Amino acid sequence: MKSIYSIAATSTGGRNGHVTTDHQLIDADLGLPRALGGIDDLHLTPEAFFAAGYASCFDNALMHVIRLERIKTGPAVVSAKVDLLLSDINRLQIAVELKVELPGIDYAGAKDLVAKAHEICPYSNAVRGNIEVKIIVINS
């Protein structure tokens, strides 16, 4: 495969540190969530960045499928919730829940489009078989 886009990020201080990306597109402090010994949950975490990335990537994959199939829908809204889990053997893992709102189309059609987006989304492909991804389709 050949790379068609790349960006680098650098972290210092881990979960309670600072992260920057190329061209300082992200230049942010991170803080430990309360569950890991932090004082509150009002700081950026790696999970926040993962949730934002997955939501936007999946939304774009869904828009691509809708364009290819030439289906009229309302604007999609994709929300990603990332859970940090502690396994039975004390290992941290993540799980994702995607909520996809797709108005203007029947439920079966919305589920079909979302399933096709899940097949082509780079984030879905990266995590498939490695973490639990639950997808909830909402249409109105």
Side-chain angles (χ1 to χ4, degrees):
M1 280 194 264
K2 72 174 188 173
S3 175
I4 60 170
Y5 173 76
S6 66
I7 188 164
T10 302
S11 172
T12 56
R15 288 181 166 274
N16 208 29
H18 192 85
V19 65
T20 58
T21 61
D22 291 348
H23 314 293
Q24 286 69 48
L25 295 172
I26 295 173
D27 187 353
D29 290 328
L30 302 176
L32 287 170
R34 186 173 298 178
L36 295 178
I39 58 171
D40 59 38
D41 291 328
L42 303 177
H43 296 50
L44 286 172
T45 63
E47 293 75 28
F49 287 109
F50 191 80
Y54 204 158
S56 61
C57 189
F58 196 90
D59 191 24
N60 198 72
L62 182 57
M63 291 185 332
H64 178 72
V65 169
I66 290 167
R67 273 191 310 271
L68 284 178
E69 303 224 351
R70 296 183 177 164
I71 294 176
K72 299 264 190 223
T73 69
V77 177
V78 178
S79 301
K81 181 179 82 139
V82 173
D83 286 303
L84 188 61
L85 310 170
L86 185 60
S87 75
D88 294 338
I89 57 172
N90 271 348
R91 287 193 181 158
L92 292 174
Q93 298 176 327
I94 60 172
V96 174
E97 179 182 276
L98 295 173
K99 283 188 183 172
V100 182
E101 296 180 48
L102 193 55
I105 185 172
D106 65 80
Y107 183 73
K111 280 196 67 117
D112 181 58
L113 293 171
V114 167
K116 289 175 180 173
H118 190 46
E119 288 300 312
I120 66 167
C121 173
Y123 272 66
S124 293
N125 289 331
V127 303
R128 186 170 286 111
N130 296 310
I131 68 170
E132 178 185 342
V133 177
K134 179 180 179 182
I135 302 176
I136 299 169
V137 177
I138 302 166
N139 73 317
S140 46

